[in-house]
Amino acid sequence: MSKQEGGCCEGLSDAPLAEDQAVELATMFKALGDPVRLRLLSLIASQPDEVCVCELTPAFELSQPTISHHLKVLRQAGLVESERRGTWVYYRVRPETTDRLAAVLATATGDRRVAAL
Amino acid sequence: MSKQEGGCCEGLSDAPLAEDQAVELATMFKALGDPVRLRLLSLIASQPDEVCVCELTPAFELSQPTISHHLKVLRQAGLVESERRGTWVYYRVRPETTDRLAAVLATATGDRRVAAL
DNA sequence: AGGCTGTATTGAAGTCTGTCTATGCAATGT
DNA sequence: ACATTGCATAGACAGACTTCAATACAGCCT
C-alpha cells in the first residue's frame, strides 16, 4: 500500500502536510495513543531482541484477548512485527517506523535544518 | 497541572515505562492520532512564529467549532499554546513537548545511548 | 489420535470521539 | 448602546474504541 511520497520531506514544519500523509501518520500516532499499547511497546523495546507474548500478557491486569488485540493494533500500525516459533509468538520493534515518527516530531520544532530522513 | 517527573529517563526502551508516564504520554500521542489535528499542528509549525485561527479554519472543510475543538485537544495535550491579541487568537507550537515525544520515540529504536533529555 | 497450552478471532456491552447546529462571550467599530 | 465579527462552549448523535467471555486455531507431547 502507498507508492506515494514519503520521499524527502518528512518534517511537520517543512510542508503543510498533505491529507494522505496525515491519515497515514495519524494511524501510527493513534496506535501510540493508549497507555497499554505504550507500555507494551516499551516492554518490547526494552528487551535486546524480541519478547515472547507469554511475557507480555502477565504484565498487565487485562485479559489475554485484550493484550492480543493491542498487539494487533501495534502490528497493523507498523510499529512492531511478530514471528511464530513453535508454540510461542515473539514480537520486536520496527525501528524504521519509530524513527520516522521521531523525525516528524523533531522537525515540528521549527527546526528548519535538514529533517533527517 | 502535573509537577511529576519527566526527570531523567525518558526513552521507551530504557525502562519498562510506568503506568503514570504511560497515561501522560498516551494523552499526547492520542492528540496526534487524528489527521485533522496533525494537519493543524503542521500548519502551525510551518509558520515562522504563530498562526491566527482565522487562517486555520478556512484550510479545512469542517465547521469552525470542530476546528476549535481540535485546537483545544492540541492545547490540553501541551502541544500548542494560544494567545489572544485583540479580536484574533494566535497559536504556536510548544517545542518542549514535540521534542520530548521525539526523544521518547528515538530511543524505542533500541538505541541504548543517552536518550537526550 | 487425543489432550494440553499458547495465541488469535468473534461477538457483544459500555465508553469515548469527531462532527454538527445552536448559542455564548470578547473585542472592534459605528 | 448596538450591531458585527472572531472564537469558544454546550448539547446531540453516529461511529469508533476498549474490554470481556466464548470460541477457534496452532503446535507440542504422550
Side-chain angles (χ1 to χ4, degrees), chain A residues 1-2 8 12-14 33 38 40 43 50 65 78 83 88 93 95-96 98 101 106 108-109:
Chain A
M1 56 307 289
S2 93
C8 71
L12 258 194
S13 63
D14 298 330
L38 265 185
L40 276 171
L43 280 173
E50 43 191 18
E83 182 189 346
W88 297 277
V93 173
E96 343 148 30
T98 51
L101 294 184
T109 300

Side-chain angles (χ1 to χ4, degrees), chain A residues 35-37 39-40 43 56-63 67, chain B residues 19:
Chain A
V36 175
R37 286 195 293 267
R39 289 178 60 201
L40 276 171
L43 280 173
L56 297 174
T57 304
F60 298 82
E61 296 197 336
L62 291 169
S63 69
I67 299 300
Chain B
E19 168 94 25

Side-chain angles (χ1 to χ4, degrees), chain B residues 93-110:
Chain B
V93 174
R94 285 182 53 177
E96 342 148 30
T97 307
T98 51
D99 285 351
R100 180 179 171 203
L101 293 183
V104 166
L105 284 176
T107 58
T109 299

Side-chain angles (χ1 to χ4, degrees), chain B residues 34 37 63 65-66 69-70 86-87:
Chain B
D34 181 280
R37 286 195 290 268
S63 69
T66 297
H69 163 70
H70 284 305
T87 305

Side-chain angles (χ1 to χ4, degrees), chain B residues 43-113:
Chain B
L43 279 173
I44 298 172
S46 62
Q47 226 52 24
D49 278 4
E50 42 191 19
V51 182
C52 176
V53 174
C54 62
E55 286 185 65
L56 297 174
T57 304
F60 298 83
E61 297 198 337
L62 292 170
S63 69
Q64 174 267 319
T66 297
I67 299 300
S68 189
H69 163 70
H70 284 305
L71 287 172
K72 183 179 187 177
V73 174
L74 287 174
R75 219 183 321 122
Q76 290 180 332
L79 286 160
V80 302
E81 58 190 353
S82 63
E83 183 189 345
R84 167 160 232 139
R85 274 205 305 281
T87 305
W88 295 277
V89 176
Y90 298 87
Y91 277 77
R92 59 177 158 271
V93 174
R94 285 182 53 177
E96 342 148 30
T97 307
T98 51
D99 285 351
R100 180 179 171 203
L101 293 183
V104 166
L105 284 176
T107 58
T109 299
D111 223 358
R112 228 164 286 309
R113 29 175 183 138

Side-chain angles (χ1 to χ4, degrees), chain A residues 6 8 10 26 31 34 60 66-67 76 83-84 97 102 105:
Chain A
C8 71
E10 287 282 310
D34 181 279
F60 298 82
T66 297
I67 299 300
Q76 290 179 331
E83 182 189 346
R84 167 160 231 139
T97 307
L105 284 176

